[in-house]
Amino acid sequence: MVAWAVVTASLALLLAVAAGYLAAHVAFDWLARRYLIVSGAEYLVLGILLGPQVSGLLSETVISNLAPVVTLALGWTGMIVGAQLELRELIMRPAREFRIAFAESSMTFLVVAALEFVALRSPLSDTSAGALIAAVATGAMAVASSGVGIALVADVVGASARVLDQLRMSARIDVVVAIVIFGLMLCVHHAPAPTSRPLTTTEWAVVCAALGVVGGTLFHIFLGDTPDRDRLFVALVGGIVTVTGAAAYLRLSPLLAALFFGVVLVNTTARPAALLETLTRVERPFYFVLLIFGGATWVPSHRSLIAPVLLFLLARAASKIGGSRLAARMNGALGELGEHWGRGLLGQGRIAIAIGLSYVYQEDLPYQNLVFTIAIASMLVTEFLSARIARAAVTAHLDHGEA
Amino acid sequence: MRRVFVLALLFGGMQLIRPLGSPGYGSESLLAFGFLILAAYAAGELASDAHIPKLVGYVAAGIAFGPYALKTVTAEAVADLSPVSSLAIALIAFLAGAELRWSEVRARGLAIIRILGAELLLALVAIATFLVLLRNHVSFLKGNPFAEVLAFSLVFASIAIAHSPAVTMALLSETRANGPVSRTSLGVVLISDVVIVLLLTATLAVARALVPPAGADMPALTIFAVAWEVIGAAIVGVVLGALTSLYLRFIRRELFLFAMLVAFFGSEIAGLLRVEPLLALIVAGFVTENFSRPEHAAAMREAMERAAAPVFVVFFALAGAAIALPDLASLWFMVLPLAVVRSGAMWAGCRIGIRWSGLAPEEHGVLREHLWAGLIPQAGVAIGLATVVARTYPSRGGQIQALFLALVAVNQLVGPILYRRALVNSGEVPGPAATPAPLPTPDSA
């Protein structure tokens, strides 16, 4: 009976992924272009519905058994972020774009983390340390912005305005900053290694970076000079699985280690286009896995969660819009970008879910359910309409400029 | 040199990481999976440089880094990665089925059945006779009445004659061989799996009648269950193949993901309906190949081959990691003669079968000389059948399983080398793979 239930759950999962995948092609691609709706949140909802909290079709055992696949999806996500940081392309961008992006992400992190710390510390926390850890994680999640809506607006509106360039750059930097903050937090708060002397924060950070760098080096030695695409695929899969597995085994962030791996790969390979094509070909399955299992893994917090979740949503929106305006003003770009350009960064995509899941997978961290609930709520509220919000921000500025 | 450096770097890295971490959320199995992909692939290339099939390198890497040697990959990680093996078997089966063309089945089917019948029968009789003659040296036969000795010798022989579609497919894919030897050997090994399931059912029924299993954890292997296992698999395969063809006709997108889904889905459905998964996927591949447009079928095959590349590497490495070196060491005096008897019987059986086959006389020479080598490798479904025997007779079955796995270990290492040599010497391997100097054949030795 148990075996039957588990098999049925596996089949249900397969059907869900297959149906979702077909829906993404048949329905959501069309919907995205026609109505500027970003696909993604529906998979999260599907995961919640299939998971133990609602239908129980995906039991906790099944979810636990498939945890390595989800961890691999985290690594793949981190690697894709890293692979977009090609230095040859980045150095062509104006320095001001980076200053604005970093200023906005720093302000968002500080505001959200500080407010969440205060909120968690007073009514919920037993210790300040626990509240601080959860606040830093939520701050990191707040920084992450989805570039999907922005890309959709750029495709549909067809505008090549300065504001779109800045939005693209800011979304890219936001994601990197979010992953780095979260990864460093895990280095700071690291459980002692079982059989060796406790490593310091710096040593863990070096280990995390080394996983990516050594993995990238190994990839090149392994691959050699061959242009064989099958070999490239095997090398890539072997590299990312090893780096992700090692980071998870060491209780570090698979996202950060894989990000380093992606950065090394894209900046050292002679064929970045082939690499990116191979990477993106497998991106979509992992995207489904991440969101469906993210939803299925969700457990409601036993503590009062409405206030911290609402606070997060409001603080994030305010700091994104206010922070981006302030960053633009500090860099003398407010006229070019408009006062509301930061609205385009409100979309909260898969990175928040990835960070939330990574947080849950670290067994000894406090407020796991609360932090993950915040990630899910934020994505559900913002991602669906992120392209419409971004378009509103872009067209408002263009109209204003033209006027 | 570069490959040795990769292996050293990987091994050193694993030694550094191990003491610093702890397993959780399957991280250890993920790490082992990544390590095996890279280490086994590098070992496979080392083997290729030495004109040995890559998959022998994969198996050797599994043995070297597995739980019985360097212990880089633990027994727990090997067990955790068993779904990878299931996926690999599903992909292999689908690809094997896709290799079969309807026109070829019509032209060569009867000949394949005749060859298969001759070689399986001869091998069955030879192995059973060998065990009966040496019954005082075989732990699960010693001191038993003759009828029991005969029954359990036949049980062992009926799994020991199994072949390996996985090895055959992997070698054909690696060498790109095409010709009478490769086509006939593929046909024989594919059909043999079905025959062996039926044969084991019969021999096990005889054994159960003579020695009823006491309180064993074993579902009854009735004739109806076996019939359903085969017929149901064919039905599942046809439905899955038809759905795949429809997808290729009307959608044709994201074939890489679709290929993985088909393999997973077929494997799960077969498990759920208790039908033979290998046969179901073979039929699905066959239906897809023969009922889709050629360009669509080719695109699907290519997507599946690409998805299978890293999975195959780990599959064979895991097979190597599962080889119990202590058992192999303690049973070598029995295993090596058994392997020789099995190979000799297959060699003779092939020659007899080819004479009866009705194939064109110009094919007889090359098949007589080389076909037997394609039937030596062993793995896959036979290991599962040995587990069935072990569950039926926990004590005696365990001894049968240990001896069988030791035999598999030998055939898994030697078989691919013999098969590759046969493909090269028969002139069916195109390009540089055909260049190595021919080694002496058994006939000439």
Side-chain angles (χ1 to χ4, degrees):
Chain A
M1 191 66 192
V2 172
W4 177 270
V6 169
V7 171
T8 307
S10 306
L11 274 176
L13 171 70
L14 280 170
L15 290 172
V17 172
Y21 151 74
L22 289 174
H25 274 303
V26 177
F28 289 110
D29 280 358
W30 178 79
L31 279 173
R33 282 191 299 273
R34 180 74 179 80
Y35 297 107
L36 276 186
I37 290 172
V38 173
S39 169
E42 68 276 11
Y43 298 109
L44 206 53
V45 175
L46 181 67
I48 294 172
L49 294 176
L50 290 174
Q53 303 305 320
V54 183
S55 68
L57 202 55
L58 287 175
S59 66
E60 285 179 11
T61 313
V62 171
I63 294 170
S64 167
N65 288 344
L66 290 170
V69 182
V70 182
T71 307
L72 182 57
L74 294 175
W76 206 274
T77 305
M79 182 167 64
I80 286 179
V81 172
Q84 288 166 354
L85 300 177
E86 194 180 352
L87 290 176
R88 278 164 292 197
E89 186 241 322
L90 290 178
I91 57 173
M92 307 297 287
R93 309 297 310 168
R96 196 171 60 170
E97 282 187 7
F98 292 96
R99 287 201 301 270
I100 293 172
F102 277 113
E104 174 270 313
S105 57
S106 307
M107 280 185 268
T108 303
F109 169 69
L110 289 173
V111 169
V112 175
L115 288 175
E116 285 290 339
F117 176 69
V118 172
L120 291 173
R121 187 166 172 263
S122 42
L124 298 179
S125 176
D126 303 325
T127 63
S128 295
L132 185 62
I133 291 164
V136 171
T138 52
M141 291 190 313
V143 171
S145 299
S146 168
V148 180
I150 299 164
L152 197 57
V153 170
D155 282 349
V156 174
V157 176
S160 57
R162 161 92 177 86
V163 65
L164 271 173
D165 290 341
Q166 182 60 55
L167 280 172
R168 282 195 205 98
M169 175 58 74
S170 289
R172 214 179 334 173
I173 297 295
D174 281 352
V175 166
V176 174
V177 170
I179 291 175
V180 170
I181 290 172
F182 181 72
L184 290 179
M185 190 206 79
L186 291 185
C187 295
V188 174
H189 179 81
H190 196 287
T195 56
S196 66
R197 72 164 174 84
L199 267 64
T200 64
T201 297
T202 311
E203 284 171 328
W204 279 123
V206 170
V207 169
C208 190
L211 287 177
V213 174
V214 172
T217 311
L218 190 64
F219 170 86
H220 286 298
I221 299 171
F222 181 89
L223 190 63
D225 301 323
T226 175
D228 181 4
R229 292 164 76 89
D230 285 343
R231 193 186 167 84
L232 172 69
F233 183 66
V234 171
L236 201 55
V237 171
I240 189 59
V241 174
T242 308
V243 169
T244 304
Y249 184 75
L250 295 175
R251 303 294 170 93
L252 296 168
S253 167
L255 281 165
L256 183 57
L259 182 142
F260 283 122
F261 182 60
V263 170
V264 172
L265 287 194
V266 80
N267 288 291
T268 51
T269 182
R271 290 177 287 275
L275 182 80
L276 278 172
E277 192 258 320
T278 308
L279 268 178
T280 48
R281 201 175 55 222
V282 193
E283 182 184 6
R284 204 178 270 263
F286 280 127
Y287 180 54
F288 296 145
V289 166
L290 187 67
L291 293 182
I292 289 174
F293 278 93
T297 307
W298 175 68
V299 177
S301 174
H302 293 303
R303 308 207 192 207
S304 166
L305 55 78
I306 295 174
V309 172
L310 279 178
L311 178 68
F312 176 88
L313 295 174
L314 293 173
R316 180 173 181 273
S319 56
K320 279 278 173 196
I321 296 169
S324 55
R325 185 189 300 185
L326 193 58
R329 187 186 297 278
M330 281 160 50
N331 287 281
L334 199 59
E336 290 174 60
L337 300 176
E339 292 193 343
H340 304 295
W341 73 275
R343 287 180 189 172
L345 299 172
L346 286 179
Q348 180 96 78
R350 76 182 87 170
I351 300 298
I353 299 297
I355 291 176
L357 261 178
S358 297
Y359 194 87
V360 170
Y361 280 5
Q362 301 287 327
E363 284 162 346
D364 58 337
L365 294 181
Y367 306 117
Q368 293 189 322
N369 299 334
L370 177 63
V371 170
F372 195 41
T373 302
I374 288 174
I376 287 182
S378 185
M379 184 174 178
L380 290 178
V381 169
T382 62
E383 177 75 344
F384 208 50
L385 297 174
S386 63
R388 286 180 157 262
I389 299 170
R391 185 177 65 173
V394 171
T395 51
H397 175 61
L398 291 177
D399 293 346
H400 180 72
E402 284 168 10
Chain B
M1 189 62 198
R2 196 183 77 220
R3 279 126 198 181
V4 176
F5 185 62
V6 167
L7 284 171
L9 198 63
L10 279 166
F11 180 67
M14 289 293 279
Q15 298 307 107
L16 285 173
I17 286 170
R18 280 249 172 258
L20 290 175
S22 55
Y25 288 100
S27 58
E28 191 186 17
S29 52
L30 194 61
L31 181 59
F33 183 48
F35 170 80
L36 280 179
I37 291 175
L38 295 175
Y41 200 87
E45 297 204 315
L46 273 176
S48 182
D49 290 347
H51 304 300
I52 295 171
K54 283 182 180 176
L55 71 91
V56 175
Y58 305 156
V59 174
I63 295 173
F65 295 114
Y68 297 103
L70 293 171
K71 298 181 173 60
T72 313
V73 178
T74 62
E76 292 76 26
V78 172
D80 285 347
L81 289 173
S82 60
V84 178
S85 296
S86 303
L87 175 63
I89 289 171
L91 288 166
I92 287 163
F94 190 95
L95 283 169
E99 285 291 320
L100 299 174
R101 313 285 186 281
W102 177 237
S103 56
E104 191 175 309
V105 170
R106 274 191 307 185
R108 204 173 269 269
L110 192 61
I112 285 173
I113 289 170
R114 283 174 177 167
I115 294 170
L116 176 70
E119 66 94 8
L120 280 189
L121 186 65
L122 206 59
L124 183 82
V125 171
I127 293 172
T129 308
F130 175 82
L131 289 175
V132 169
L133 292 176
L134 293 182
R135 58 185 177 276
N136 290 332
H137 303 282
V138 181
S139 58
F140 59 88
L141 300 178
K142 201 173 358 182
N144 288 312
F146 184 76
E148 274 184 39
V149 168
L150 187 61
F152 282 101
S153 298
L154 283 170
V155 167
F156 181 87
S158 59
I159 49 176
I161 57 177
H163 307 309
S164 172
V167 172
T168 306
M169 277 307 297
L171 267 169
L172 293 182
S173 167
E174 180 185 327
T175 59
R176 305 277 163 201
N178 194 12
V181 174
S182 50
R183 310 302 302 175
T184 310
S185 57
L186 180 64
V188 170
V189 298
L190 288 183
I191 298 172
S192 72
D193 268 356
V194 180
V195 176
I196 281 159
V197 170
L198 297 171
L199 195 61
L200 178 68
T201 309
T203 53
L204 209 51
V206 173
R208 286 161 72 99
L210 286 171
V211 188
D217 168 28
M218 171 64 192
L221 264 178
T222 64
I223 190 73
F224 297 108
V226 174
W228 167 244
E229 210 167 297
V230 175
I231 297 167
I235 295 169
V236 169
V238 168
V239 173
L240 188 62
L243 291 174
T244 306
S245 295
L246 287 174
Y247 181 89
L248 292 175
R249 184 181 175 92
F250 293 109
I251 301 177
R252 268 195 321 280
R253 286 198 192 176
E254 301 272 4
L255 286 184
F256 178 84
L257 173 60
F258 184 69
M260 298 287 273
L261 279 176
V262 167
F264 261 126
F265 188 75
S267 194
E268 286 289 337
I269 281 281
L272 183 64
L273 298 177
R274 297 189 189 286
V275 301
E276 173 58 41
L278 200 76
L279 181 60
L281 269 298
I282 287 172
V283 174
F286 176 77
V287 171
T288 305
E289 177 67 29
N290 290 280
F291 294 91
S292 306
R293 288 183 185 163
E295 65 272 22
H296 297 165
M300 180 69 185
R301 235 180 13 252
E302 191 193 332
M304 206 161 248
E305 277 172 0
R306 182 157 291 178
V311 180
F312 280 5
V313 174
V314 176
F315 170 68
F316 286 112
L318 286 175
I323 291 174
L325 293 178
D327 285 354
L328 189 60
S330 64
L331 292 169
W332 69 269
F333 65 92
M334 180 59 64
V335 170
L336 292 183
L338 249 178
V340 172
V341 167
R342 179 178 175 274
S343 304
M346 285 176 176
W347 174 79
C350 280
R351 294 176 84 92
I352 296 168
I354 290 160
R355 189 175 297 169
W356 288 345
S357 66
L359 287 170
E362 57 269 24
E363 284 187 8
H364 282 204
V366 71
L367 285 176
R368 250 201 323 262
E369 197 165 334
H370 300 297
L371 181 63
W372 69 277
L375 309 181
I376 303 304
Q378 247 185 335
V381 71
I383 295 174
L385 294 178
T387 310
V388 170
V389 177
R391 284 175 61 196
T392 312
Y393 295 97
S395 169
R396 204 188 319 227
Q399 293 162 357
I400 291 177
Q401 190 181 24
L403 181 62
F404 175 69
L405 291 178
L407 178 66
V408 167
V410 172
N411 288 326
Q412 207 166 34
L413 288 168
V414 178
I417 298 172
L418 292 173
Y419 188 33
R420 185 185 189 280
R421 191 190 61 174
L423 292 172
V424 171
N425 288 348
S426 60
E428 295 185 11
V429 179
T435 51
L439 298 167
T441 61
D443 285 354
S444 60

